[in-house]
Structure formats: structure tokens, C-alpha cells
């Protein structure tokens, strides 16, 4: 299951990606919410291409029949796979979850958005962000965490992202919140960053580096751009020690998580720890936060277990994640495709996300998977 093979990097082409974003998303990056954005897309052919490019890696594949070559084909195209995944999934994420694309712990009585923000503050605190620092957010999504951390710490945050549409969304939200002076969003592959050596005071990554074809590659780049003495903190998606690659049910769960979440190859905790040390970090802390004895488990919103709701406001947020609401989205998107309002592939994407969510819940309940393995590492001072 570990990835011992050497990975070659995908050649970047920023013009091709920007042209594709314009064709697929048109002006929808300025739309108010995820659902409105979903319905105001551009070229239907571009959508078909994104769907084909993404699902070619998963269609007709199963844990039973999958070969090493299938996995290698996915990791070889890690950047294209992830870029197209987010071309397809971003609007649904915003509609169903919000603008911070990550899970979190929940304390007693805490509302959904408050818990999400606290998870971000916790990481900012762990890496010691101070006012005025230059901080890098690796895989910044539409910038929810970067905005929260900029407001919370008064630092300057640069978000790095491989998806042009998400960069447009992030830039739009930062402008709307009057944060343009504190935030900047940059296009790029985190396996081959364009930043000079030693350019950031601190770096964080929230549930993003799982998209890397090899953790050593992305952690190595983070180590390079971090100033000596600077600290890196990450919430990593990993398979736990209970995961057994010889168990078909376990492999089924891992593949469902990978397909529903744009991941080419998810690795065990040991591989992440080794990668941190190999690239040179002095490991200050590592802990699976999913193992803390919280009354409400991290996965409860996507499990649709409404009994865990802690405030009336959360009902509206979490209702969208229940099986009933997912089914409604499935039927509605199917209908919109039929009458030619939504481009083909919208329903297929919604279904893959729902299947991925079931995989996440099954993985969590069987303790095979964690989305919040915290690692904090320091780059030694010269
Ligand atoms: C993909 C990675 C590495 C991180 C994203 C974590 C979460 C924000 C997403 C994982 C599964 C997603 C689903 C949705 C929103 C975003 C996630 C929780 C939906 C609830 C969006 C609305 C759809 O109808 C159902 C989705 C299920 C999965």
C-alpha cells in the first residue's frame, strides 16, 4: 500500500488551465452561492471533458479488480485529476458545506461554523502565527480558512491552489470582505512551487496535501519555501494502523473515499510521519485528533445523524448533507440535466460525492481512516 515508486511531476500549463476555466465556469466565480454558481456555467463540452478526464480513473474499477497500474496511472496524472475534481465539486461543496473545505472536531453545544473556525484557529495557534507574518496556505480551496486565519492573527496569507476557478472564488470573497491587502491567491502545483527558498515565516495545509502523488514531494517543497526556524502544521487525511490492505472491505472503503474526494492514492500514517522526517522537519507534535473522546464525532454532519445537532441554525446547514437531501440533489440535478439547464455530469458528480461521503463515514466508524492527523514540524534554524 505504501508508495515506494518515484513519481514524476506533471508539466504545468497555466494558460491551458485558465482557458479551460473560462470555458467551463464562465463568469460563475462571481455568483453568490454554490447552487447559483452551478447553474450559471459556460460551455457544456468543457464540462463533459472534465467529467471524462476525472472519471476515466474510476469508472469500471473496483477494489477487487484494481491493479497497481491503475493506481500508478492516477498518481501520474495527480494534478489533472485534482484540478478536474475541483472543477466538478467546488459548487456542490459550497452549497452543502460552506467555504472552508475541511472537517473539524465538535465540542458540546458548539455550532457547525464555530467548530470549523475553531479547527482553523487551533492550527494557527499550533504553528505560532503572529501579526504581520508571511504565511502560506497550501491547497487553499476557496479561501475560507485563509480569510479566517488572516482575521484571527493579522498575518498576511498567500493561498496556493492548482484550480483556477477556486482561485477566482477565493479572490472574490477576499475582496468582498475587504481583505484584499492581507490575502493573495496564487496558481500552482504544490509539488513544484514557484516561490523562492526560505520565503515564508509559517506554512499550513488543511486536508489538501492528500491530493499529492507522494507526501515526501509536497512536504519537501514546503520545507524549501519555509524560513529556517519556521513551523509547518498540517491536518492530513490518512489510513490508520487498523487499515489492512489485504482486506477487500477495507480496500473498498479506501477506493470510495478516493473516488469521491479526488485522491489518487491515500497512504498510511507511518508514511506521512516518515515523509516529514525524511525531508528534514523536526517533528514537534503528531496526533490523530479523531481519537480524542469527543461526544460528537467529526463525521456526524455527513452521516446525516440529525440527533447530534446542537443548535437550531445547524439544522439548515446539516439537513443538506442527509441521505434524503442528497437523494433530492440527485433527482434535481438529473431533472436539470434532462431539460438541458445543468450540463451533463452534474448528477454523476453529486452521486460520486455522496458515495465518497458514505466511504468516509464507514472508514471513520471502523477506525480505518482519519481526516485530521495533526503533524507540526519545525525547519531547523541554520
Ligand atoms: C476532499 C478533501 C481532501 C477535503 C474536503 C472535505 C469536506 C469539506 C468534503 C468531503 C466530502 C464532501 C461532501 C459534501 C461537502 C464537502 C465534503 C464534506 C456534500 C455534503 C456537498 C453536498 C452534496 O449534495 C453531498 C456532499 C457529500 C460529500
Amino acid at each position: 500500500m505504501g508508495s515506494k515508486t518515484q513519481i514524476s511531476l506533471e508539466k504545468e500549463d497555466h494558460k491551458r488551465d485558465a482557458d479551460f476555466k473560462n470555458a467551463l465556469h464562465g463568469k460563475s466565480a462571481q455568483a453568490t452561492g454554490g447552487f447559483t454558481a452551478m447553474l450559471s456555467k459556460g460551455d457544456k463540452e468543457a464540462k463533459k471533458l472534465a467529467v471524462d478526464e476525472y472519471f476515466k480513473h474510476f469508472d469500471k474499477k473496483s477494489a477487487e479488480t484494481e491493479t497497481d497500474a491503475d493506481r500508478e496511472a492516477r498518481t501520474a496524472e495527480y494534478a489533472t485529476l485534482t484540478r478536474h475534481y475541483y472543477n466538478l465539486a467546488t459548487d456542490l461543496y459550497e452549497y452543502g458545506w460552506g467555504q472552508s473545505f475541511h472537517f473539524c472536531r465538535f465540542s458540546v453545544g458548539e455550532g457547525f461554523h464555530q467548530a470549523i473556525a475553531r479547527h482553523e484557529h487551533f492550527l494557527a495557534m499550533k504553528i505560532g502565527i503572529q501579526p504581520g507574518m508571511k504565511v502560506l496556505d497550501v491547497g487553499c480551496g476557496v479561501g475560507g480558512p485563509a480569510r479566517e486565519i488572516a482575521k484571527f492573527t493579522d498575518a498576511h496569507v498567500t493561498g496556493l491552489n492548482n484550480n483556477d476557478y477556486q482561485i477566482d472564488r477565493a479572490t472574490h470573497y477576499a475582496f468582498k470582505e475587504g481583505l484584499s491587502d492581507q490575502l493573495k491567491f496564487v496558481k500552482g502545483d504544490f509539488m513544484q512551487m514557484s516561490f523562492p527558498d526560505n520565503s515564508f515565516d509559517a506554512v499550513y495545509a488543511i486536508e489538501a496535501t492528500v491530493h499529492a502523488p507522494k507526501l515526501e514531494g509536497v512536504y519537501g517543497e514546503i520545507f524549501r519555501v519555509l524560513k529556517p526556524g519556521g513551523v509547518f502544521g498540517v491536518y492530513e487525511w490518512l489510513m490508520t494502523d487498523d487499515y489492512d490492505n489485504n482486506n477487500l472491505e477495507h480496500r473498498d472503503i479506501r477506493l470510495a473515499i478516493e473516488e469521491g474526494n479526488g485522491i489518487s492514492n491515500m497512504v498510511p500514517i507511518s508514511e506521512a510521519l516518515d515523509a516529514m522526517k525524511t525531508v528534514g522537519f523536526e517533528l514537534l507534535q503528531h496526533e490523530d485528533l479523531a481519537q480524542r473522546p469527543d461526544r460528537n464525532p467529526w463525521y456526524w454532519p455527513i452521516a446525516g445523524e440529525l440527533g447530534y445537532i446542537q443548535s437550531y441554525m445547524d439544522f439548515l446547514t446539516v439537513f443538506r448533507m442527509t441521505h434524503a437531501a442528497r437523494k433530492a440533489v440527485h433527482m434535481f440535478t438529473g431533472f436539470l440535466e434532462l431539460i438541458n439547464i445543468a450540463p451533463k455530469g452534474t448528477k454523476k458528480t453529486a452521486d460520486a460525492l455522496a458515495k465518497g461521503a458514505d466511504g468516509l463515514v464507514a472508514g471513520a466508524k471502523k477506525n480505518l481512516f482519519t481526516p485530521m492527523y495533526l503533524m507540526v514540524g519545525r525547519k531547523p534554524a541554520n
Side-chain angles (χ1 to χ4, degrees), residues 13 15 20 36 62 83 87 118 124 130 142 168 179 207 221 226 251 260 272 287 292 303 324 328 330 334 340 358 367:
D13 185 341
K15 174 159 184 332
F20 187 80
T36 326
S62 72
R83 199 170 53 252
N87 275 331
R118 184 168 60 85
Q130 299 298 322
V142 298
D168 282 3
L179 289 167
E207 302 184 19
E221 278 296 85
L226 192 56
R251 287 211 309 277
E287 177 187 356
R292 296 259 183 121
H330 167 95
N340 224 10
D358 290 340
N367 191 36

Side-chain angles (χ1 to χ4, degrees), residues 29-41:
Q30 314 300 317
T32 319
F35 217 85
T36 326
M38 201 154 52
L39 299 183
S40 38
K41 291 297 158 195

Side-chain angles (χ1 to χ4, degrees), residues 37-113:
M38 201 154 52
L39 299 183
S40 38
K41 291 297 158 195
D43 190 344
K44 293 201 166 59
E45 277 308 302
K47 175 85 173 203
K48 184 176 175 328
L49 197 142
V51 169
D52 292 347
E53 273 296 303
Y54 183 69
F55 286 105
K56 76 177 185 195
H57 291 292
F58 297 101
D59 279 346
K60 301 198 190 90
K61 304 262 162 35
S62 72
E64 201 169 3
T65 58
E66 178 182 60
T67 62
D68 285 350
D70 293 331
R71 235 156 232 282
E72 277 157 25
R74 288 213 295 270
T75 45
E77 291 183 18
Y78 67 96
T80 310
L81 180 139
T82 307
R83 199 170 53 252
H84 283 314
Y85 174 74
Y86 284 112
N87 275 331
L88 299 173
T90 300
D91 296 331
L92 270 166
Y93 271 31
E94 284 198 45
Y95 149 77
W97 191 260
Q99 293 160 13
S100 285
F101 297 167
H102 61 81
F103 292 107
C104 64
R105 296 175 55 216
F106 295 91
S107 77
V108 177
E110 192 174 37
F112 177 81
H113 292 294

